[in-house]
Amino acid sequence: MALPLLDYPLTSQNQRVDGFEVANQGGLRLITNEIDEVIRAAYRQIFNEQQLTASSRLLALESQLRCGQISVQDFIRGLATSEVFRTRNYDTNNNYRFVQMCVQRILGREVYNNREKLSWSIVLATEGLNGFIDSLLNSEEYQTHFGRDTVPYQRRRILPQRSSGAVTFAHTARYGEDYRDRLPKPMDVQFGLFNWETFMRQADWPTAIGLLAGMSLLIAALLLFSVTIGSSAA
């Protein structure tokens, strides 16, 4: 039996999150007509600009949407449960970070608090990725704001007494700090940029001179040996 979603208060220390809704805010429009625009908007929303590559496209899923076999909601479900999305987002984050990303991209808002992260993480752990995505898409919140034929978009970007809106979710990092810190670092970060003055000052010159002298004697001995062998052969 599936575990029920934990209750969590719809409050946050961030005043930007809680309490207000503005229709069609920030010039965002509900996309329901042009199918190509719907597809592009769906890719941008689920994969973000950072992951929009040719290898991200799911042509069979696009064809089903073009032919009217599936709804926009089903198209979003297909993108979010695809192997590409799993590899680039689920596999590179812990459950809490992944839950936050999916709430941003599918429900169009920031998570209210850590309690909400925990509650959705339990759903993810017990029902798997597909069950978690289905729970988001079938939620009352998703149905109220987007329904079957609207591509999700970032809500609540217009802030009271502010000249500009909140930063878009598309500008957030693709993965959490725990995964980022395991990535290979650039050569200049690992070893530092080469500096000739520092090299000259820190070099172990007695050892270096000894090695050069030894190599010179070895080369001279080899040359003398080759000359001696050549004279004997003649």
Side-chain angles (χ1 to χ4, degrees):
M1 182 178 68
L3 295 175
L5 183 65
L6 290 178
D7 292 332
Y8 51 87
L10 304 182
T11 58
S12 172
Q13 294 180 350
N14 187 346
Q15 296 180 359
R16 300 179 180 183
V17 172
D18 182 58
F20 52 88
E21 298 289 345
V22 180
N24 293 329
Q25 54 182 292
L28 292 173
R29 61 190 182 89
L30 306 184
I31 303 171
T32 55
N33 296 322
E34 296 295 336
I35 193 65
D36 290 337
E37 184 63 21
V38 167
I39 291 174
R40 285 193 293 269
Y43 276 116
R44 285 195 302 268
Q45 180 66 18
I46 300 303
F47 286 101
N48 280 351
E49 298 287 350
Q50 302 160 331
Q51 299 175 353
L52 287 180
T53 61
S55 60
S56 300
R57 294 189 63 185
L58 303 174
L59 298 180
L61 197 65
E62 291 181 23
S63 178
Q64 291 177 329
L65 182 61
R66 293 179 190 279
C67 295
Q69 297 175 343
I70 60 176
S71 64
V72 173
Q73 181 184 8
D74 294 327
F75 186 69
I76 296 296
R77 178 181 287 106
L79 294 181
T81 57
S82 66
E83 185 63 26
V84 177
F85 185 80
R86 174 190 291 270
T87 301
R88 298 184 181 181
N89 297 281
Y90 178 73
D91 293 346
T92 58
N93 289 285
N94 58 43
N95 282 5
Y96 298 112
R97 171 63 178 159
F98 181 71
V99 161
Q100 181 181 13
M101 291 170 56
C102 289
V103 170
Q104 291 174 344
R105 300 182 188 187
I106 295 177
L107 297 184
R109 62 165 174 83
E110 185 58 90
V111 292
Y112 286 109
N113 44 50
N114 288 333
R115 180 75 174 179
E116 183 179 19
K117 284 186 185 181
L118 175 62
S119 62
W120 283 116
S121 295
I122 293 175
V123 176
L124 176 60
T126 56
E127 300 185 18
L129 176 59
N130 289 6
F132 167 62
I133 298 299
D134 284 341
S135 296
L136 289 175
L137 290 169
N138 296 333
S139 66
E140 181 180 353
E141 181 178 0
Y142 185 91
Q143 296 302 321
T144 299
H145 292 284
F146 307 120
R148 290 177 52 82
D149 299 314
T150 301
V151 177
Y153 55 87
Q154 183 173 347
R155 301 181 283 136
R156 303 175 176 176
R157 284 202 62 214
I158 299 300
L159 308 179
Q161 300 177 356
R162 291 289 188 91
S163 60
S164 60
V167 176
T168 62
F169 296 143
H171 287 84
T172 59
R174 287 171 288 177
Y175 36 71
E177 294 179 0
D178 54 339
Y179 181 83
R180 180 201 62 192
D181 293 341
R182 297 199 302 269
L183 295 175
K185 293 181 174 55
M187 294 291 289
D188 60 334
V189 174
Q190 295 186 58
F191 303 106
L193 296 174
F194 179 77
N195 184 281
W196 179 255
E197 294 182 358
T198 302
F199 171 76
M200 295 292 292
R201 185 173 61 256
Q202 296 180 351
D204 186 357
W205 290 112
T207 302
I209 293 173
L211 290 174
L212 289 174
M215 292 179 63
S216 299
L217 290 174
L218 179 60
I219 293 173
L222 290 174
L223 290 174
L224 180 60
F225 178 76
S226 63
V227 171
T228 302
I229 294 298
S231 300
S232 300

